[in-house]
Amino acid sequence: DGRKLDLLPCKDDANTVQTNVQEVEQLVTENKVFALLSASAVILPGSTTFLNNNQVPFIGWGYLPGFCGTRWGLGWNGCLMSLTRAQLAHAAIQGSLAEPIIKASGMKASHVRAAFQGGNYLADKQGNLQYGELFRFLGAKVVYNEANYTTGSDPTPYVQAIMASKPNIIYLGTAFSDVGPLAAGLRAAGYKGI
């Protein structure tokens, strides 16, 4: 519609809550941004509350509550929160995080033994809650659900804990850089499932 869009330089919150909120507030109040795009895994709750209250559209990974049931939060992966339907302004649930995986396994949901490993971050803890809820809702059994992996850690103790739960589907919701070492460790330990 004839509007010119300018892309402002990226801000680095140094993975701290206070800096995240300060940077978002500065972009809105001083830079007068029309919308905000998050290139990180999360836009923190203080920031999403500020953006929703100021009616500023924000786009990013929808791992935290600010993306769920709001007009302004637009998660390109949907709303990845473990919220009940009563907590949402709409009756939506991101079933695509579970249904296609179970279907691809060729198993009945009641035969699925799901394990979820996330990183030691708020987004991963919240995401794991939803993954567990989705799989249980479909009739699967959740045998392992932890969000305690620290980036760069030796994957061995985590692999051992996951394998001890005897899963047949494993969901790695860690930072992208941790998926490879964890997956390799699981294969080396003899895991052959999805």
Side-chain angles (χ1 to χ4, degrees):
D1 291 330
R3 294 185 180 96
K4 180 182 176 187
L5 298 178
D6 293 319
L7 183 62
L8 297 179
C10 221
K11 299 277 188 178
D12 182 2
D13 68 6
N15 204 25
T16 63
V17 174
Q18 188 58 36
T19 305
N20 185 274
V21 173
Q22 287 171 348
E23 297 287 3
V24 166
E25 289 179 359
Q26 179 186 7
L27 286 167
V28 173
T29 58
E30 294 177 27
N31 298 109
K32 308 291 186 209
V33 298
F34 164 75
L36 189 135
L37 170 66
S38 174
S40 73
V42 296
I43 300 177
L44 298 171
S47 297
T48 57
T49 297
F50 178 82
L51 292 164
N52 278 311
N53 289 344
N54 286 277
Q55 301 180 356
V56 176
F58 55 99
I59 304 155
W61 291 100
Y63 286 107
L64 295 173
F67 284 95
C68 303
T70 71
R71 179 177 179 191
W72 306 103
L74 308 167
W76 54 62
N77 53 344
C79 165
L80 297 182
M81 277 298 302
S82 180
L83 298 175
T84 66
R85 293 176 193 271
Q87 292 172 298
L88 292 173
H90 55 83
I93 191 162
Q94 184 62 298
S96 64
L97 294 171
E99 292 166 351
I101 296 168
I102 293 172
K103 183 177 180 180
S105 76
M107 293 182 277
K108 292 182 181 179
S110 60
H111 295 152
V112 170
R113 296 177 51 82
F116 307 100
Q117 179 65 64
N120 194 17
Y121 305 102
L122 177 61
D124 294 22
K125 292 174 191 308
Q126 295 296 329
N128 271 21
L129 289 173
Q130 183 188 18
Y131 307 147
E133 181 179 312
L134 287 171
F135 275 76
R136 280 190 291 272
F137 176 78
L138 295 170
K141 182 174 185 177
V142 175
V143 295
Y144 179 91
N145 194 338
E146 294 291 336
N148 58 0
Y149 190 84
T150 303
T151 295
S153 293
D154 175 6
T156 305
Y158 302 93
V159 167
Q160 290 170 345
I162 294 167
M163 292 296 287
S165 69
K166 298 182 173 50
N168 51 23
I169 291 179
I170 298 174
Y171 203 108
L172 300 175
T174 60
F176 297 134
S177 61
D178 298 322
V179 172
L182 279 166
L186 289 162
R187 293 290 179 211
Y191 181 70
K192 297 190 182 349
I194 292 177

